[in-house]
Amino acid sequence: MKRSIIYITLCGIILLFISSCEQQISTSPDEPDPTNSGKLFVDSKPLGARIFINGKNTGQLTPDTIAWLDPTDYRVTLKLNLFKDTSVTVKIDEHSVKSIYLDYTTNPNMKGALYLTSHPTSALIFLNDSSTGKYTPATLEKLTPGYYNLRFKYPGYWDGKLTTTVKSGFTNYAQQVILKDTLTWIHYKTENCDIPSDYLNYIEIEKGYIKWIGTSEEGLIRFDDKTWTVFTVDNSPLPGNKVNFIYIDHNNTKWIGTDAGLALFDDVNWTIYNTSNSGLPSNEVTCAAINTQNNETWIGTDKGLVRYNNGEWQVYTTSNTRLPYNSITSLAIDERDNTKWVGTIGAGVAQFQSANRMTIRPVFRFTVPEEGPKNNSVQSIKIDQNGLIWFAVTGLYLPNGGSGYFNGIKILFFEKEPSGSVSSLAIDAQNRKWFGTYDAGIAYYTKPWLKYTTANSKLENNRIFSIAIDGVGNRWMASYGNGLIKFKNL
Amino acid sequence: MRNIFIFIVLSIVILTNIGCEEDFSPRTTYKERYILNCIIRGDTSLQTATLAHTYNVEGYDPYVNTEDPFIGGADIRIWHKDDVYFFHDSTIDRTDTSRYNAPMKFYYNNNFKPGTDDPIEIRAVLLSGKILLGFSKLPKPVKFDLINSDKRIPSQENPDFRFIWQSNTSITWYLARLQLYYYKIENGVQVRKSIEVPAKYDLENGVWTTVYPKPSRTNRALFSNAALDYVMNKISEGDLNKSDYTILGAVLELLIFDENLSKYYSSLNGFLDDYTIRVDQADYTNIEGGFGIFASYIKQQSGAGVEPEYVQSFGYKSNIP
């Protein structure tokens, strides 16, 4: 009995000893280490497909490697704009590197088609500058999805252009391309040729075929029916990119008036005149004319009329002559009697025989005398084959300009003919007077006036700032907004 | 026999008292852990994140460590709808170099501006393959209670300027800040400036003290008239040319925290609900695979005019005729 008690007691001691030391310490569970993961290399043709793993965008584009993938099966989806989504299941093993390659270009299910039509039909279709040999309307099939540049050629018409997309599994019914007739009217615009601007101020023609064009802010353009050459302040000594006028003298030197001075260009050399190196009273040079008999050059500015001869500059203003206004808009010299016809803003025409002899001739037909001269601006002066002095006149505040001519005694004025805002004037070999207008296209003087506008012709813009006629009688127009326009002499 | 019994009893007493004696140490085997922090701001496209590891020091003072625990080279991405935004690491000069001398490192993405109520997900993959994950949902905008809120400073009806809004949820936390905008003529040039208005300006233990707004669950912000007076005086303190100042108005900025950020501030500042106990800042985490917080907030604003008479009483000009 006693022995049993001793054993029990000893066991109790041992149990107490063991259990009394038991302790619980709470700790955060260990973070599992990255598993023995695998990698997946994904590539495609074309490159740049978005890689989705189990429906979730990885943010990665082909070609790329997806790392740290646990060993299991993955649904890999590639998404590429314009192509069908493509999915594949990949099994990743421990430490493995798997690869997927998808060639979109060889998969016939990825192809798309284009249905193309034009007006007129039967235009030859070029796809990315290569002829397809097909004519509109036509369907181009089995095209790899993407962006395509299309060109449509039809004799006598501007090439039509179209950029469109092809999408996997779809036929894209692209919009009908309207081809523009070039049989009579041709519009040279930034959208169809290399002309740098659609906003043109002036045009003059050299040797009957070289077009010199002044732009509103892109400099000077030379166009010889093949090549566009652009002169700006950045690539030439041209002093300003706003070109007001171009006058071509008998030596084919171009006198170019800008908002930053006058430039002379003989196709090789440039000479620049401005207020700091010449007698010019202003850098805003608006017009020029040369008397070939005595080589006197007359230059108009917004601050007076200038005579230039043998390096001497003489400035004529309202303060030292009877000049009615200092802002000169147009000039012509009648070499029969060396009369300078000087157009002004709002003050009519000055018939300038000499500094002491000047006759001011208003160009208006109003009952209130003050109203006409203040309102009308003489934009262009030309002398026809019969020696008549013709004027293009625009209303400054009201559209009540027009056209007129001096018959040796007085100015006959055609109010609002061909428009109240006449911008320019050119005379062709048949002595026809062609007028450009700011708001009504072009017209030539006959009885009745023959007018060409957007409403009755294929002229695309009624805002004609300048008009000139080439050696074969084609009318060339500098338009404000629609580039250079050619009206063929058929 | 009696001696044996006494011996046994004494043995029991001695063994039970000395057998478990040991030195206690709170340390366990050190294992490196990782901390990802990223608070997405709904009012900007520049988002930042930090990634760091834990560190071990001799003794018990963590501040003896002077080596920046930032982890570079990690792949951090955020998912928003079907888009993925990658973070890049960068550095800026550290203003406080008392502990770390090297420039401060961080991750950023400057092209991510999520909308409200959008779920977002962050994932950081360390060079070792270790992955940290976090989820958030941008909070919804609140509706301002413009009827019961003051529209002019100072309030005509209340002893403080108050702004009230309708709470989104019972657990959403907010931080409302009031900014006063003004022009000051400096060297002849009008310069636009602003100053934050404290919530209170009170005497505490005989010292005038400013108390700025703190995050809270309440759906209203109060700014005492004394606090408004304080900033109105403060902007031209020491400048006798009071007419050089033109008061433009005040803008209340309300930061609305998402659930994670609300829980974070709740853990710091109080109780989320009757059954939640406060925990220490370092223990709060919503990052899977590590520690840290991934959360978001949005900002809403509302303007308030400052009464011309009130402005003029300080000698300033008012932009309200």
Side-chain angles (χ1 to χ4, degrees):
Chain A
M1 179 61 189
K2 287 178 184 172
R3 185 170 291 224
S4 299
I5 291 171
I6 290 169
Y7 285 136
I8 290 168
T9 306
L10 282 172
C11 287
I13 291 168
I14 292 164
L15 281 172
L16 272 169
F17 182 72
I18 293 169
S19 65
S20 66
C21 295
E22 189 175 305
Q23 59 180 344
Q24 286 187 329
I25 298 174
S26 173
T27 59
S28 301
D30 284 345
E31 297 286 340
D33 288 326
T35 55
N36 297 320
S37 58
K39 295 178 182 176
L40 176 63
F41 175 68
V42 189
D43 195 5
S44 69
K45 182 183 176 182
L47 306 175
R50 293 183 297 159
I51 306 168
F52 287 67
I53 301 289
N54 293 340
K56 186 172 184 179
N57 188 0
T58 63
Q60 293 169 256
L61 307 177
T62 58
D64 207 343
T65 299
I66 314 297
W68 308 110
L69 293 171
D70 292 336
T72 185
D73 289 344
Y74 291 93
R75 182 93 174 145
V76 181
T77 304
L78 296 188
K79 296 188 178 186
L80 187 61
N81 189 28
L82 303 177
F83 290 86
K84 289 179 181 174
D85 294 353
T86 303
S87 295
V88 62
T89 300
V90 180
K91 180 177 176 58
I92 298 293
D93 300 317
E94 291 184 2
H95 304 297
S96 68
V97 179
K98 290 282 179 69
S99 292
I100 296 175
Y101 176 71
L102 175 65
D103 187 347
Y104 286 100
T105 61
T106 57
N107 185 343
N109 292 328
M110 290 292 172
K111 302 293 184 183
L114 270 177
Y115 177 78
L116 301 167
T117 182
S118 66
H119 178 79
T121 57
S122 302
L124 180 59
I125 303 167
F126 285 72
L127 189 70
N128 291 344
D129 293 330
S130 298
S131 173
T132 62
K134 293 191 173 183
Y135 293 86
T136 57
T139 300
L140 307 182
E141 295 176 319
K142 297 179 181 176
L143 296 173
T144 300
Y147 297 88
Y148 287 92
N149 293 317
L150 294 148
R151 188 181 287 268
F152 301 82
K153 283 187 176 293
Y154 189 86
Y157 285 73
W158 276 111
D159 287 358
K161 290 179 182 175
L162 178 68
T163 298
T164 190
T165 55
V166 172
K167 199 174 175 184
S168 283
F170 290 92
T171 297
N172 179 3
Y173 290 86
Q175 67 184 49
Q176 186 186 47
V177 175
I178 307 296
L179 304 178
K180 290 183 179 170
D181 179 2
T182 60
L183 295 174
T184 307
W185 296 82
I186 304 177
H187 290 72
Y188 299 91
K189 297 189 280 188
T190 51
E191 69 180 36
N192 60 25
C193 68
D194 292 332
I195 192 168
S197 172
D198 291 329
Y199 295 88
L200 311 179
N201 281 343
Y202 203 88
I203 179 166
E204 191 57 270
I205 298 176
E206 177 188 2
K207 298 176 185 173
Y209 75 99
I210 301 171
K211 273 67 69 178
W212 290 90
I213 304 147
T215 71
S216 64
E217 54 186 22
E218 299 288 341
L220 175 72
I221 305 166
R222 180 187 186 276
F223 178 51
D224 60 5
D225 292 326
K226 293 178 183 173
T227 307
W228 300 89
T229 308
V230 182
F231 303 92
T232 67
V233 294
D234 296 325
N235 67 6
S236 75
L238 188 72
N241 279 337
K242 179 192 168 209
V243 176
N244 297 322
F245 80 95
I246 302 131
Y247 177 85
I248 301 170
D249 68 18
H250 55 285
N251 295 320
N252 288 321
T253 296
K254 274 62 70 178
W255 295 66
I256 303 147
T258 75
D259 58 345
L262 176 69
L264 273 64
F265 181 48
D266 64 3
D267 295 325
V268 177
N269 301 304
W270 291 84
T271 307
I272 308 300
Y273 295 111
N274 53 43
T275 54
S276 61
N277 69 355
S278 73
L280 284 174
S282 166
N283 284 332
E284 188 76 44
V285 184
T286 54
C287 52
I290 297 174
N291 186 333
T292 57
Q293 293 181 352
N294 59 13
N295 274 335
E296 273 186 352
T297 303
W298 292 81
I299 302 161
T301 75
D302 64 341
K303 290 182 179 170
L305 179 68
V306 183
R307 182 177 75 98
Y308 173 65
N309 194 12
N310 289 329
E312 290 186 4
W313 302 81
Q314 175 75 46
V315 180
Y316 299 94
T317 65
T318 54
S319 60
N320 61 7
T321 67
R322 289 190 63 221
L323 194 68
Y325 198 67
N326 282 336
S327 190
I328 311 299
T329 51
S330 51
L331 268 171
I333 299 174
D334 187 347
E335 295 191 352
R336 293 173 299 181
D337 57 1
N338 194 24
T339 297
K340 279 69 66 179
W341 289 88
V342 185
T344 66
I345 286 184
V349 182
Q351 188 182 355
F352 185 4
Q353 290 93 347
S354 69
N356 299 324
R357 187 175 171 216
M358 188 179 294
T359 306
I360 310 305
R361 298 191 181 277
V363 280
F364 65 97
R365 198 176 69 186
F366 291 93
T367 52
V368 182
E370 296 79 23
E371 200 171 343
K374 285 180 183 172
N375 185 40
N376 285 349
S377 174
V378 181
Q379 297 299 97
S380 181
I381 307 172
K382 292 281 164 61
I383 302 170
D384 76 5
Q385 294 164 9
N386 299 324
L388 298 178
I389 318 298
W390 286 83
F391 308 99
V393 181
T394 188
L396 284 179
Y397 310 113
L398 298 169
N400 46 19
S403 57
Y405 66 89
F406 179 67
N407 63 3
I409 300 171
K410 63 176 183 179
I411 291 177
L412 300 178
F413 189 66
F414 308 110
E415 184 189 349
K416 296 185 181 178
E417 288 290 359
S419 150
S421 301
V422 185
S423 61
S424 51
L425 165 60
I427 300 171
D428 68 14
Q430 287 76 45
N431 204 27
R432 288 183 300 186
K433 272 62 73 177
W434 290 85
F435 292 88
T437 75
Y438 291 116
D439 59 358
I442 63 168
Y444 81 82
Y445 173 67
T446 180
K447 292 181 180 176
W449 286 81
L450 189 56
K451 301 178 181 178
Y452 298 91
T453 67
T454 54
N456 66 4
S457 73
K458 292 195 174 178
L459 182 65
E460 293 180 9
N461 189 343
N462 283 333
R463 301 189 76 190
I464 306 301
F465 274 30
S466 180
I467 184 168
I469 295 166
D470 68 14
V472 293
N474 296 319
R475 279 74 50 167
W476 293 83
M477 288 150 271
S479 83
Y480 199 76
N482 270 58
L484 179 66
I485 302 168
K486 179 183 181 181
F487 179 28
K488 292 181 183 175
N489 182 29
L490 299 174
Chain B
M1 184 62 201
R2 185 174 190 161
N3 289 336
I4 291 171
F5 186 75
I6 291 169
F7 170 76
I8 290 169
V9 170
L10 281 172
S11 299
I12 291 168
V13 171
I14 291 167
L15 278 171
T16 52
N17 279 284
I18 67 171
C20 298
E21 187 178 307
E22 62 174 309
D23 290 334
F24 173 74
S25 171
R27 290 176 178 277
T28 182
T29 306
Y30 174 71
K31 187 167 178 63
E32 192 172 71
R33 306 294 174 91
Y34 306 101
I35 306 108
L36 173 65
N37 285 313
C38 179
I39 309 295
I40 297 298
R41 296 172 54 184
D43 60 336
T44 175
S45 59
L46 175 63
Q47 311 295 349
T48 59
T50 60
L51 184 61
H53 59 77
T54 57
Y55 53 85
N56 199 7
V57 294
E58 296 288 336
Y60 299 105
D61 180 8
Y63 289 95
V64 299
N65 174 63
T66 57
E67 187 179 335
D68 189 352
F70 178 84
I71 300 174
D75 177 351
I76 299 182
R77 305 177 193 189
I78 280 186
W79 277 262
H80 174 242
K81 297 178 178 173
D82 207 15
D83 295 320
V84 186
Y85 299 87
F86 289 77
F87 279 62
H88 313 282
D89 50 5
S90 184
T91 58
I92 53 170
D93 288 337
R94 196 185 292 274
T95 52
D96 178 8
T97 55
S98 59
R99 188 173 180 194
Y100 303 124
N101 272 322
M104 184 182 290
K105 299 170 186 169
F106 63 101
Y107 291 88
Y108 76 96
N109 179 293
N110 56 5
N111 193 31
F112 176 46
K113 188 175 181 182
T116 58
D117 205 22
D118 287 341
I120 47 178
E121 175 186 342
I122 193 168
R123 190 184 74 167
V125 182
L126 280 57
L127 290 173
S128 63
K130 175 70 182 171
I131 295 175
L132 306 179
L133 277 176
F135 301 89
S136 171
K137 186 177 185 186
L138 273 98
K140 293 179 184 175
V142 297
K143 190 174 179 184
F144 290 154
D145 182 356
L146 297 176
I147 294 173
N148 295 308
S149 295
D150 288 319
K151 298 164 198 66
R152 287 291 180 105
I153 291 174
S155 173
Q156 304 300 309
E157 297 86 20
N158 306 307
D160 42 35
F161 173 78
R162 59 187 57 187
F163 196 84
I164 304 167
W165 59 92
Q166 294 175 2
S167 287
N168 274 341
T169 68
S170 60
I171 62 165
T172 301
W173 279 59
Y174 308 92
L175 174 61
R177 296 185 300 211
L178 186 64
Q179 295 282 346
L180 185 72
Y181 287 88
Y182 62 98
Y183 280 137
K184 181 187 176 188
I185 296 175
E186 291 180 347
N187 301 320
V189 179
Q190 218 170 32
V191 182
R192 184 183 163 94
K193 297 190 169 199
S194 69
I195 185 171
E196 184 176 357
V197 181
K200 289 180 184 174
Y201 184 59
D202 281 340
L203 264 180
E204 279 188 18
N205 300 323
V207 179
W208 284 97
T209 308
T210 52
V211 179
Y212 284 88
K214 293 177 181 173
S216 79
R217 265 197 303 166
T218 60
N219 67 332
R220 61 183 54 206
L222 305 177
F223 298 87
S224 72
N225 286 342
L228 291 163
D229 292 345
Y230 164 75
V231 292
M232 288 291 279
N233 282 311
K234 182 79 177 172
I235 59 176
S236 67
E237 197 171 52
D239 188 350
L240 297 177
N241 298 318
K242 306 295 183 188
S243 60
D244 283 353
Y245 297 81
T246 303
I247 304 300
L248 300 174
V251 174
L252 185 116
E253 295 177 350
L254 182 65
L255 306 186
I256 304 154
F257 299 154
D258 75 341
E259 188 178 333
N260 297 332
L261 209 50
S262 294
K263 285 178 178 174
Y264 171 78
Y265 279 109
S266 178
S267 72
L268 288 181
N269 297 297
F271 302 91
L272 190 61
D273 53 53
D274 294 342
Y275 307 100
T276 306
I277 61 166
R278 176 177 171 169
V279 295
D280 291 330
Q281 176 182 353
D283 285 343
Y284 182 82
T285 177
N286 70 330
I287 298 296
E288 296 177 12
F291 298 107
I293 183 165
F294 177 56
S296 58
Y297 70 81
I298 60 172
K299 183 164 80 176
Q300 287 179 252
Q301 294 179 316
S302 182
V306 185
E307 292 291 349
E309 295 79 12
Y310 180 65
V311 171
Q312 287 152 12
S313 70
F314 292 89
Y316 305 145
K317 293 177 184 171
S318 170
N319 73 326
I320 301 174

